[in-house]
Amino acid sequence: MQPTLLILAAGMASRYGSMKQIQGFGPSGETIMDYSIYDAIRAGFTKVVFIIRKDFAEDFKNIFEPKLKGKVAIDYVYQDLHSFTGDFPVPADRSKPWGTAHAVLCARDAIKEPFAVINADDFYGRDSFEKAYAFLTGPVSPNVYCIIGYELAKTLSDNGTVSRGVCQVDAAGNLVSIAERTKIYEKDGKITYEEGDKKFEVPYDSKVSMNFWAFDPSVFAYTEKIFKEFLAEQGSNPKAEFFIPIIGDKFIKEGKGSIKVIPTGAKWFGVTYKEDAPEVQASLNALIAKGEYPSNLWK
């Protein structure tokens, strides 16, 4: 079976201030997702599954279905606060779903083949999709997953803090551990993350996950198991989030298998804040000028 691309597009975009998943950045109104889908199709992916919220499903479909019709198979999954919570009493003051790993779990019934996971608002570059496709049609298995690894220094924003899954990698290129750091920034020649009231320095060349993962579909059953444990331990906290790196870290530490960290030289950029938008547009225009993308992706 050909691999599927799963796109996480259900975020509430709280820091950005608008629905950036469907904002046009390209010269013909292309979203960042358009470029990811374009790169995925030419790498060999034949199906795209979007994780979205029901309250903007109609607008979302009206934007993407006309231009993708006949080019790639499409499916939709809705991430809901109560999905896979069973009898667990969801806190009354919790307003949004449980995070990126929960979003992946919500796609369980839509994906039966090896698949890659990406964020909707990150530009990953052609090389990343080609490497993910090669992995998903090759060494992927129930006990071998992978991350496309980026250099931390190349993934920061000048306009505020970012969240990154910081990786420890062994000499063989396998992930040793991954930890989600939610307040990373560069200042005075150092990269720092904050945790509580403490600050910690991170090496410039650290490999980080930009949420570009490649999985065997067996990950769904494992994720559901870990989600139940997460709810029991942290579910009463209305701000607790179930991130994909939690799954990766437990997968390794519980001896379930290995996760390859596949480095890429592709240029990453994204829109965490509104102030990032002009730089994203300039970066896309530069790639178009080099001939890496047409001025109209779907013409």
Side-chain angles (χ1 to χ4, degrees):
M1 291 185 290
Q2 291 297 299
T4 285
L5 178 65
L6 178 62
I7 302 181
L8 307 181
M12 299 184 79
S14 57
R15 286 182 293 186
Y16 189 74
S18 67
M19 200 54 65
K20 59 186 174 179
Q21 292 91 341
I22 56 176
Q23 180 173 337
F25 291 96
S28 299
E30 293 91 350
T31 67
I32 289 181
M33 270 186 287
D34 280 305
Y35 289 92
S36 292
I37 296 165
Y38 183 86
D39 282 335
I41 291 172
R42 62 180 174 174
F45 289 81
T46 56
K47 178 182 174 183
V48 175
V49 175
F50 296 102
I51 297 184
I52 57 177
R53 296 203 322 269
K54 285 185 178 180
D55 58 352
F56 73 94
E58 184 176 354
D59 287 342
F60 190 96
K61 291 179 181 181
N62 287 339
I63 290 172
F64 285 96
E65 289 191 354
K67 56 190 171 186
L68 297 179
K69 185 177 181 180
K71 297 179 177 68
V72 68
I74 301 173
D75 201 354
Y76 302 93
V77 171
Y78 302 116
Q79 185 181 12
D80 182 80
L81 179 60
H82 298 278
S83 297
F84 294 94
T85 55
D87 296 329
F88 181 81
V90 177
D93 52 349
R94 186 175 186 97
S95 60
K96 63 180 182 178
W98 301 91
T100 54
H102 178 249
V104 170
L105 181 57
C106 289
R108 185 182 66 178
D109 293 337
I111 299 176
K112 306 300 181 184
E113 59 281 333
F115 67 101
V117 180
I118 63 168
N119 291 334
D121 50 5
D122 289 315
F123 179 92
Y124 294 97
R126 180 176 184 174
D127 180 68
S128 297
F129 289 93
E130 291 176 344
K131 287 179 174 175
Y133 180 84
F135 176 81
L136 290 168
T137 54
V140 69
S141 74
N143 60 357
V144 181
Y145 303 157
C146 93
I147 296 173
I148 303 299
Y150 290 78
E151 288 185 22
L152 173 58
K154 296 179 179 179
T155 70
L156 303 178
S157 171
D158 293 331
N159 300 303
T161 64
V162 297
S163 298
R164 299 289 180 258
V166 179
C167 304
Q168 290 187 354
V169 186
D170 68 18
N174 294 316
L175 187 68
V176 175
S177 67
I178 182 168
E180 186 77 9
R181 305 305 185 191
T182 56
K183 292 184 178 180
I184 299 182
Y185 55 91
E186 183 179 20
K187 185 178 181 180
D188 299 328
K190 296 180 180 180
I191 297 178
T192 302
Y193 78 87
E194 296 182 5
E195 190 172 288
D197 58 354
K198 296 182 179 180
K199 297 181 180 180
F200 304 88
E201 187 175 349
V202 190
Y204 264 71
D205 60 352
S206 296
K207 289 292 185 292
V208 296
S209 162
M210 300 306 301
N211 254 6
F212 197 146
W213 297 75
F215 292 119
D216 180 87
S218 59
V219 75
F220 291 118
Y222 185 67
T223 301
E224 185 171 10
K225 169 185 173 291
I226 302 302
F227 184 50
K228 290 178 181 178
E229 296 173 2
F230 169 85
L231 289 176
E233 297 170 2
Q234 302 184 52
S236 60
N237 177 357
K239 294 186 177 180
E241 291 200 61
F242 186 50
F243 295 118
I244 297 175
I246 293 173
I247 300 302
D249 204 46
K250 285 186 173 290
F251 182 79
I252 295 166
K253 291 180 177 176
E254 292 182 356
K256 299 297 182 182
S258 62
I259 299 177
K260 302 292 182 183
V261 180
I262 300 177
T264 178
K267 178 177 174 57
W268 171 92
F269 46 86
V271 280
T272 303
Y273 303 94
K274 277 190 177 295
E275 292 82 3
D276 294 329
E279 184 177 344
V280 168
Q281 291 172 322
S283 296
L284 289 172
N285 287 335
L287 290 169
I288 292 165
K290 291 179 182 178
E292 296 192 27
Y293 298 96
S295 59
N296 187 327
L297 286 183
W298 308 116
K299 186 175 180 180

